[in-house]
Amino acid sequence: MAQAFFGGVHPNDMKAATNEKAIEQLAAPAEVVIPMSMHIGAPCKPIVAVGDKVTIGQKIGEPGGFVSAPIHASVSGTVKAVEPRPFSMGGTMMSVVIENDFQNTVCPDIHPVDDPDSLTPEQLVEIVKNAGIVGQGGATFPTHVKISSGLGKVDYVIINAAECEPYITGDHRTMLERPEQVIKGATLLAKCFGVEHVYIGVEANKQNAADVLNKTIDELKAPVVVEVLHTRYPQGAEKQLCQAISGRQVPSGKLPADAGCCIFNLNTTCAIYKAVYTGMPVVSKVVTVSGSGVIEPKNLECPIGTPITALFDACGGLKDETYKLIMGGPMMGLAQYNLDVTVGKGTGAMLAFAGDEEQYEENPQCIRCGKCVGVCPMRLEPVFMYKYLMKGDVDTWQNTLHGMDCIECGACAYTCPARLPLTHAFRMGKQKVNNARMAAKAKAEAEKAAAEKKEA
C-alpha cells in the first residue's frame, strides 16, 4: 500500500498540453552532435576519427572508467568532426559530429538475445553495460553499476513512473503506447534480482496508464505490481519513492540499496527491454517539448545528438516573446544559454517560456516564515542552510545542517514567498564541497609523489 513521505509541494502539473498527444517520431536531422558525457562519471573517449563511416548502434565512445557507459552512433553516416561542442550542463564537451547519410544502416553487431529467459544476472549486467544504458530520468547513473552493486542486497525492485515534474509526459505516453516494453523490461529485472514482484510507482493523475499496465500484466502473467501513488512533488525522487512504496526510509548519506531497494526509471526499463529483445543500445530518446513559448507542444522521439532547435522546429517554432529555455522540468531542469546544445540520454523535456511563470526579486530578503522547512522532503532546514552559505560558512552547511543531503528538488524555492534562490545556492554549496575534496585529493597525491621521488 502506498505510503506518504514528509514534505513536498503540489504545483500545477501543466501536463494537459501533451498528455493526450501520442509520441511522434522525429525525422533524423542532417547532422547529430553526440557529447562524450551523458552519464555520471568520467567522460567517454572517442574511438572514431574524422572521415570514418559509422552505422546506427555502433560504439563511438569507450567508457572512461567503471562508473561510465559507452556511447553509440544514433544515425548512420560519416564522422564530420571530433571536437568540443556546446554542452547542456554548461561549457563545452568533446563530441562526435556525424553527418547523416539517411540510409539508416544498422550496425551488423546488433542482434537480440536468443533466449531472454535463460539470462543470468551477470549476462544481463553485461548486456546493459554494452548498451550504454543510464538512468534516463535525468540522473544518468550507469545502470549496469546500479544492478551489479545491488545483487544479493536488494529485495525491493521499483520502477519509477511517477513523472512528478510539471509539463513532462514522455513516461505517461510510453506507458500508454508501449506497455509490453515496460512490463517485459520489469520482468527481466525481477528475474535478475530474484524478487517475487517488481513494483511500478505511478501517480494518481496517470490512472489510465496504470490501467493499461495492469491489463498487460494480466495478459503476460508478469511478476509486476502497479502502485498508484498520491500526486505530490517530488514523488519521483529515489528516496521518496522508496519510502512511498516500500515504507523504508533511506538513511542520511546512504543510497536506496542500503535500504534494500533498487529503483529504475521507466524509460531505463524500456531501454533494458530493447537491449535484450532487439539488441539495440541507447540511440534515441523520448522528449516532451512544451511550455508557454512553444507554438504546438508535442512528445517527440528523436536520435541522441539531435539539436534542440530541431525539436522546436517540429513543434511549429517558438513565440517571439520567448525569454527562457530549460532542458528538463521547471523544478530541476537547467536553463540553456546556447541553442547549439543537443539531446542526451537524460533529456526528458525541452521547455520554452514566454509568459509570466518566472518572477525575479533583485534583492530577496528572507522573512523567516519557515515554509521551506515544512516542504523539504529531506527534513532539512533550507532557511538556515541559505544563511550559512551566504556567510561563506560551508563547513556548518555541510556538517551541521547536512547540506549534501539536499536532492535539489526545488520545493523550497517554489514555496518561498521571498523568492530566495535557495536551490541554486545549495548547488553552489555542493560544488564548493566537491572542489575542496578534489583539491585535498590532488594535494595528497602530489605530496605522496614528492615523498616517493625523494626516497628514490
Side-chain angles (χ1 to χ4, degrees):
M1 182 178 177
Q3 310 290 314
F5 61 87
F6 179 82
V9 292
H10 295 81
N12 188 329
D13 66 23
M14 306 299 287
K15 297 178 186 286
T18 55
N19 64 2
E20 294 185 2
K21 293 185 177 180
I23 298 170
E24 296 182 21
Q25 295 293 325
L26 181 66
E31 179 182 286
V32 294
V33 180
I34 304 178
M36 290 293 100
S37 179
M38 291 187 281
H39 49 263
I40 288 177
C44 285
K45 300 172 184 176
I47 56 173
V48 292
V50 175
D52 287 354
K53 300 290 185 181
V54 296
T55 52
I56 298 174
Q58 177 182 332
K59 186 192 293 185
I60 59 173
E62 190 69 37
F66 178 65
V67 184
S68 186
I71 292 171
H72 305 80
S74 58
V75 298
S76 61
T78 306
V79 177
K80 184 178 177 182
V82 180
E83 62 189 21
R85 290 291 184 95
F87 188 43
S88 61
M89 301 294 288
T92 60
M93 174 59 62
M94 184 61 68
S95 304
V96 174
V97 183
I98 303 173
E99 187 175 1
N100 192 354
D101 62 9
F102 296 100
Q103 298 301 307
N104 297 321
T105 307
V106 176
C107 178
D109 297 332
I110 302 297
H111 54 81
V113 173
D114 293 331
D115 184 10
D117 293 333
S118 68
L119 285 176
T120 65
E122 293 73 23
Q123 288 173 328
L124 183 62
V125 168
E126 194 64 20
I127 290 170
V128 169
K129 177 182 177 181
N130 292 334
I133 300 174
V134 301
Q136 294 193 21
T140 66
F141 189 81
T143 304
H144 71 277
V145 179
K146 179 178 283 192
I147 296 175
S148 58
S149 62
L151 292 175
K153 302 178 185 176
V154 168
D155 58 0
Y156 241 102
V157 178
I158 299 169
I159 307 303
N160 184 355
E163 199 168 49
C164 56
E165 277 258 23
Y167 291 97
I168 307 179
T169 56
D171 287 0
H172 187 183
R173 294 309 310 178
T174 298
M175 288 185 280
L176 291 173
E177 300 173 39
R178 305 169 184 178
E180 187 171 327
Q181 292 186 16
V182 177
I183 302 307
K184 286 189 174 181
T187 301
L188 288 169
L189 290 171
K191 186 175 185 298
C192 177
F193 284 97
V195 295
E196 187 175 347
H197 293 103
V198 168
Y199 297 86
I200 302 180
V202 182
E203 283 195 322
N205 61 355
K206 293 176 271 294
Q207 182 63 51
N208 59 344
D211 294 340
V212 170
L213 291 180
N214 279 322
K215 181 181 177 182
T216 307
I217 291 168
D218 291 341
E219 291 171 352
L220 298 176
K221 295 181 171 54
V224 182
V225 175
V226 176
E227 288 278 6
V228 178
L229 309 171
H230 300 298
T231 303
R232 181 164 50 149
Y233 179 86
Q235 188 79 250
E238 275 198 335
K239 294 182 179 181
Q240 281 61 48
L241 189 64
C242 175
Q243 182 177 350
I245 291 182
S246 71
R248 303 172 184 176
Q249 293 192 40
V250 181
S252 174
K254 300 294 184 179
L255 298 171
D258 296 301
C261 297
C262 208
I263 300 173
F264 300 88
N265 173 263
L266 180 94
N267 271 298
T268 302
T269 308
C270 291
I272 294 173
Y273 163 87
K274 291 175 185 176
V276 171
Y277 284 89
T278 72
M280 186 60 71
V282 180
V283 296
S284 65
K285 189 71 174 71
V286 176
V287 182
T288 299
V289 186
S290 189
S292 57
V294 178
I295 292 175
E296 187 184 356
K298 293 180 179 181
N299 293 300
L300 300 171
E301 184 168 26
C302 63
I304 298 293
T306 298
I308 61 172
T309 51
L311 301 181
F312 291 127
D313 289 344
C315 295
L318 299 176
K319 296 177 182 177
D320 292 339
E321 58 271 29
T322 297
Y323 66 89
K324 191 165 192 175
L325 303 179
I326 294 179
M327 182 175 281
M331 302 293 282
M332 296 185 71
L334 292 176
Q336 299 299 307
Y337 71 96
N338 194 317
L339 286 171
D340 292 331
V341 298
T342 58
V343 172
K345 294 178 182 179
T347 306
M350 275 307 310
L351 306 180
F353 295 109
D356 59 354
E357 292 93 345
E358 190 169 48
Q359 298 176 22
Y360 287 107
E361 283 291 335
E362 190 170 345
N363 296 298
Q365 298 295 321
C366 178
I367 61 173
R368 303 295 193 273
C369 66
K371 288 184 177 181
C372 57
V373 178
V375 301
C376 178
M378 297 304 295
R379 296 179 183 268
L380 301 177
E381 298 174 307
V383 57
F384 296 115
M385 291 164 63
Y386 183 78
K387 175 182 176 181
Y388 279 94
L389 278 181
M390 293 303 100
K391 289 168 57 178
D393 189 348
V394 179
D395 287 340
T396 300
W397 178 83
Q398 177 188 0
N399 299 315
T400 304
L401 298 172
H402 307 288
M404 295 301 283
D405 282 347
C406 172
I407 60 174
E408 302 173 26
C409 67
C412 57
Y414 173 83
T415 197
C416 178
R419 305 193 186 285
L420 294 172
L422 298 169
T423 309
H424 175 72
F426 303 153
R427 283 176 177 163
M428 296 301 293
K430 287 185 177 183
Q431 189 62 54
K432 289 180 180 178
V433 171
N434 290 330
N435 288 345
R437 285 176 179 170
M438 289 188 287
K441 181 180 179 182
K443 181 180 178 182
E445 290 175 350
E447 290 175 349
K448 181 180 178 182
E452 291 174 348
K453 184 177 180 180
K454 187 176 180 180
E455 291 175 1

